[in-house]
Amino acid sequence: MGQQRPLGAQISHMLKARGVDVIFGIPGVHNQELYRGMEEAGITHVLARHEQGAGFMADGYARATGRPGVCYVITGPGVLNALTPLGQAYSDSVPVLMVASCLDETAATRGQLHQMRDQEGAAASVTDWSDTAQTPQAAYTLIDRALHEMATNRPRPKALHVPIAQLEAEAAPDWPAKPFLAPRPVEPEPDWITYTAQEVAEAKRPLFIFGGGARDAALAPVGQGQPTPVQALLARSGAAAFTTFAGRGIVPADYPLMLGSYLSRPEAEGVIGSADLVIAIGTELAEVDLWRDQLGHSGRLIRVDIDAEPLASNLPGQTPIRSDATRFVQALTDALGDGAPQTDWTQAEAADFRARMRSAVAAERPGLLGVIDAVQDAMPKDAMIYSDMCQLAYAAKEVWNMDRPGHWHHPYGFGTLGYALPAGIGGAVARPDMPTCVIIGDYGLQYTLPELGTAVELGLPLPIILWDNGKLGEIEDSMIRAQIAPNAVIQQNPDFLMLARAYGADALEPATLADIAPALDAAFKASRPTVIRLTPDLFS
């Protein structure tokens, strides 16, 4: 029997025993018992300025590490403030665990501090599950269930609510003492590998689409100088390849038949329609991947995913295969053998498509590609980038070729403004000696601007590239395309550089494109965050 402690303290000790080193949150009178055991357990706490920031930090930490991000929030408003980041984590398959206090009883009593009608139900709307632990053993069981599911299923956020009286009551550490072990990944059925290999061998124009769920297939351990599993598969299949935005970096940019991350371009539909076999791995092929109603394929479609839900879609001609992406890619590569594939794809065709799509982006967003190229040229190769909903990021997601997967994080599905700054803080905390950068717009920054204080407090050398065009530029363009007179798209911005300095951050404003590189270099070497303000004056 271990040491008796209040359950709130035991929860922190259990999380530490399960490998959690960092927790993001804000203490309050309702959840303070969670903080009692934190230092004793050896957990680092990051004090956010808002629960939304705490949730995004946990998200950013999880994306950087692949491990669950954990946030502590208070009853009622604290939970509601964290629901936006939980919704983002749900849509982007990010493992975030929210631990919240809750009232002991709400049915017969009204007027309590932080009271709401259905806290558990509110959190359930944006999480994989939301449950209340009425006993210590229930809390331990739910924590292990959350960690187990995050490790073995599609990673998604969970919400654990613990009544205040339970947090305060003495409890024994009755969780299993053995290390938390996850089962093996989902293996593909051999018959499906045989079927797919035959389809690839017979195809004249095979095409792979890699989504964010296939990231590990480009990260799996390989011998020195050996290709990644994805590279080996492409070499043996002679296939062309697209990646979704979330899948960028899975296919090397110099792969001769790489079609880029232009999957959502209207022209991509025709390219996909010309393929006689499409194999989509680790992608929902959702609206935010395609921005059209149909993928565009006219031939066979094989879908590979660890989650049964996207496999149940009604895309025409679909063959669903449930499997871990890495195991599928490795097994299919082995089944294809060492022959030199002959397909109808040509390097010239792929290069021409990429060039035309880049020109289309340049025409739609005049001047932005020059800024993006200058930033990309100055970015360290191992930098991890967190971007927000802004035009600079929208264009960059199409034209910026990543040399590795999992190093550009964006609020793809839910599309939340203000994501990048706190998520970038979480990523920087996760990678203390490696470069992390934020790309954000002038409007989005104001959603979570107070988290700049957290970054200063932590002494993070975090460049915050601020695209300041003084308006909601994407909405203005959309209104014009819809023949709506632009309305409510111009805002009065503060002096961002002065505001950054007021927080204790550094602030720079490059006068020319050539000044971007030294500004970024200085920001990465600083002992505090740096706001780097970029405006359309750079190309006007």
Side-chain angles (χ1 to χ4, degrees), residues 320-338:
I321 299 176
R322 186 167 183 261
S323 173
D324 171 83
T326 301
R327 300 303 176 95
F328 178 86
V329 168
Q330 291 172 333
L332 179 57
T333 302
D334 292 341
L336 289 175
D338 297 322

Side-chain angles (χ1 to χ4, degrees), residues 286-337:
E287 179 184 78
V288 294
D289 296 317
L290 303 177
W291 293 112
R292 57 180 179 272
D293 294 334
Q294 297 295 327
L295 177 61
H297 65 291
S298 55
R300 293 152 292 172
L301 171 64
I302 296 174
R303 296 280 302 278
V304 182
D305 207 291
I306 196 173
D307 187 3
E309 182 179 341
L311 296 178
S313 67
N314 59 355
L315 290 174
Q318 172 175 294
T319 299
I321 299 176
R322 186 167 183 261
S323 173
D324 171 83
T326 301
R327 300 303 176 95
F328 178 86
V329 168
Q330 291 172 333
L332 179 57
T333 302
D334 292 341
L336 289 175

Side-chain angles (χ1 to χ4, degrees), residues 14-88:
M14 181 186 182
L15 288 171
K16 177 64 176 180
R18 297 297 188 253
V20 175
D21 296 316
V22 180
I23 291 174
F24 305 89
I26 302 175
V29 293
H30 279 186
N31 72 345
Q32 64 188 13
E33 287 296 338
L34 289 167
Y35 287 77
R36 183 186 295 276
M38 194 175 294
E39 290 187 4
E40 182 187 20
I43 290 176
T44 297
H45 182 265
V46 175
L47 178 62
R49 298 306 190 260
H50 190 279
E51 288 88 0
Q52 185 178 84
F56 283 142
M57 290 176 198
D59 174 296
Y61 180 92
R63 296 194 200 211
T65 63
R67 303 193 305 271
V70 180
C71 60
Y72 282 174
V73 302
I74 62 162
T75 319
V79 170
L80 292 181
N81 287 340
L83 293 192
T84 296
L86 290 179
Q88 188 63 63

Side-chain angles (χ1 to χ4, degrees), residues 232-238 333-342:
L233 174 60
L234 292 172
R236 291 193 182 185
S237 66
T333 302
D334 292 341
L336 289 175
D338 297 322
Q342 297 295 323

